[in-house]
Amino acid sequence: MASISLPNFSFFLLLITLSFYSSCDALTKCCITSLFQLGDSIADAGNVIRIPGASLLARAYGPPYGETFFNKPTGRFSDGRIIADYIASSLNLPFLNAYLDKSGVSFSQGVNFAVAGATAMNTSFLAERNVGVVPYNVPLPTQLEWLKSHLQSTCGIHCKPTLRNSLIVLGEFGGVDYWNSFSQNKAETEIRTYVPFIIDGILNAVRELIQLGSTRILVPGVFPFGCLSAYLTRFPDTNPNAYDQYGCLRSYNRFATYHNIELKRALENIQCEFPHINIVYGDYYGAFRTIFRFAPWLGFNPSTLVSACCGGGGRYNFNFSAGCGSPSVSACPNPAQYVNWDGLHLTDEAYRRISNIIINNMLPKFGCYGFGDSSVLSSY
């Protein structure tokens, strides 16, 4: 990713906008009345903890998950909120409830279908390539079926007006497919052959959402894998040049960039097919790297950028024998100074900073009126 040189006024504008967080009344003047979220553990708001038999290294059903904001675990893989929560708040919508929550919660303004461990591809696709997945995998096609079932039960044949006034966040699909593949010692050259299939799967989901009546769809890219504590622990390299100035593994970031470039190109093509539909690429990678770049000004500790706040020890405070939430594992006392929360997921504060960039970038593209200079935010 190319570096940029911002003029002083733009630099301070960026910092101000990164620090800004507001409600819909101040931030937007558009009619988005509901939000639907699909995805994996980055977006899960409590679905996986409601699946019988789901075994989790990161135990999001117990403390210290949720300690910063909710003061209790909610099934979110963070010490507090996730990007979906910040997007909902920016639209003056309530936090989304998990689809599998049958306790009488409201789904009147949207639903969260994301499930930790979810892949973009069906289990059969990965099995054919000897890539294992969790037995409770709820891949993208299944989540789409959940969405259709929910719509059928709530609005039946009259769902198009609902979807016209909704935002669909498709989720950062592909991350689990790639993690499982790398962890099972697949060569990068082979994993690269999966990318076109994963991109096609995402595009097929976009087309299906459009056919249902969706007019605003946010499609995020993946995070920089090489900056996550789990990747750094699982794939150490003895060559100092394998790491960048922040301590991230260059090769895994290059792979994530490859996926994101291909996804963005594909979304530009499908936008030409549907010129009246707003399909927006969510640059989660760029937003993540931006908070690394400006970490000291944003309150993050530069010496712990790639270390997990909650983990079982080791160089990056992460190991695979004792995940966050295990009895012997404790969290750092200052999670707001950390980006990595549990090795694969981020802190409430990191998600807040990333969300501010994504929100201010996407809203004008969805016909909303954003705060600040979004061209500065999108120029990294």
Side-chain angles (χ1 to χ4, degrees), residues 180-250:
N180 289 351
S181 300
F182 282 119
S183 296
Q184 293 165 41
N185 300 315
K186 295 291 183 182
E188 181 180 335
T189 52
E190 178 180 344
I191 301 173
R192 278 182 174 251
T193 67
Y194 307 165
V195 175
F197 294 99
I198 289 172
I199 301 299
D200 283 346
I202 294 171
L203 294 188
N204 290 336
V206 170
R207 290 190 178 93
E208 193 161 352
L209 290 167
I210 292 170
Q211 290 170 0
L212 290 171
S214 302
T215 60
R216 295 176 176 128
I217 306 171
L218 179 70
V219 186
V222 297
F223 283 152
F225 301 142
C227 298
L228 299 174
S229 311
Y231 269 85
L232 288 157
T233 301
R234 177 68 177 80
F235 310 110
D237 199 307
T238 57
N239 182 359
N241 294 327
Y243 299 86
D244 67 14
Q245 69 270 37
Y246 304 111
C248 304
L249 282 163
R250 297 179 188 274

Side-chain angles (χ1 to χ4, degrees), residues 103-127:
S103 63
V105 296
S106 173
F107 295 132
S108 62
Q109 291 184 280
V111 188
N112 187 310
F113 300 99
V115 182
T119 55
M121 306 306 296
N122 278 321
T123 300
S124 58
F125 172 91
L126 296 167

Side-chain angles (χ1 to χ4, degrees), residues 48-306:
V48 77
I49 65 172
R50 292 176 169 86
I51 296 178
S55 177
L56 305 170
L57 173 64
R59 302 181 183 188
Y61 50 81
Y65 286 90
E67 67 175 15
T68 295
F69 181 80
F70 297 99
N71 298 314
K72 63 178 182 180
T74 64
R76 291 167 172 81
F77 289 78
S78 175
D79 60 311
R81 291 155 291 188
I82 54 178
I83 295 173
D85 298 321
Y86 285 109
I87 291 176
S89 293
S90 76
L91 299 170
N92 206 25
L93 297 173
F95 294 162
L96 299 181
N97 291 308
Y99 176 66
L100 297 181
D101 188 347
K102 306 303 181 185
S103 63
V105 296
S106 173
F107 295 132
S108 62
Q109 291 184 280
V111 188
N112 187 310
F113 300 99
V115 182
T119 55
M121 306 306 296
N122 278 321
T123 300
S124 58
F125 172 91
L126 296 167
E128 290 172 0
R129 291 155 179 80
N130 296 313
V131 177
V133 298
V134 293
Y136 52 86
N137 184 27
V138 184
L140 173 54
T142 303
Q143 291 184 30
L144 282 173
E145 291 304 312
W146 283 5
L147 171 61
K148 288 188 283 187
S149 177
H150 169 76
L151 293 173
Q152 182 63 35
S153 65
T154 55
C155 52
I157 62 173
H158 306 292
C159 289
K160 288 199 172 182
T162 298
L163 289 172
R164 275 199 303 271
N165 293 325
S166 299
L167 170 61
I168 308 286
V169 183
L170 194 54
E172 54 301 309
F173 280 103
V176 176
D177 306 66
Y178 300 136
W179 167 255
N180 289 351
S181 300
F182 282 119
S183 296
Q184 293 165 41
N185 300 315
K186 295 291 183 182
E188 181 180 335
T189 52
E190 178 180 344
I191 301 173
R192 278 182 174 251
T193 67
Y194 307 165
V195 175
F197 294 99
I198 289 172
I199 301 299
D200 283 346
I202 294 171
L203 294 188
N204 290 336
V206 170
R207 290 190 178 93
E208 193 161 352
L209 290 167
I210 292 170
Q211 290 170 0
L212 290 171
S214 302
T215 60
R216 295 176 176 128
I217 306 171
L218 179 70
V219 186
V222 297
F223 283 152
F225 301 142
C227 298
L228 299 174
S229 311
Y231 269 85
L232 288 157
T233 301
R234 177 68 177 80
F235 310 110
D237 199 307
T238 57
N239 182 359
N241 294 327
Y243 299 86
D244 67 14
Q245 69 270 37
Y246 304 111
C248 304
L249 282 163
R250 297 179 188 274
S251 62
Y252 293 96
N253 282 355
R254 283 196 298 267
F255 183 89
T257 298
Y258 170 64
H259 166 93
N260 289 337
I261 289 172
E262 293 301 308
L263 176 61
K264 189 173 183 180
R265 181 181 295 123
L267 292 176
E268 290 169 353
N269 291 336
I270 199 173
Q271 181 68 81
C272 295
E273 289 182 44
F274 302 98
H276 302 298
I277 305 298
N278 291 317
I279 305 168
V280 174
Y281 170 71
D283 189 6
Y284 284 18
Y285 185 110
F288 189 118
R289 293 288 287 184
T290 295
I291 66 172
F292 264 41
R293 188 175 301 122
F294 299 114
W297 292 272
L298 299 175
F300 295 106
N301 184 346
S303 66
T304 61
L305 288 179
V306 294

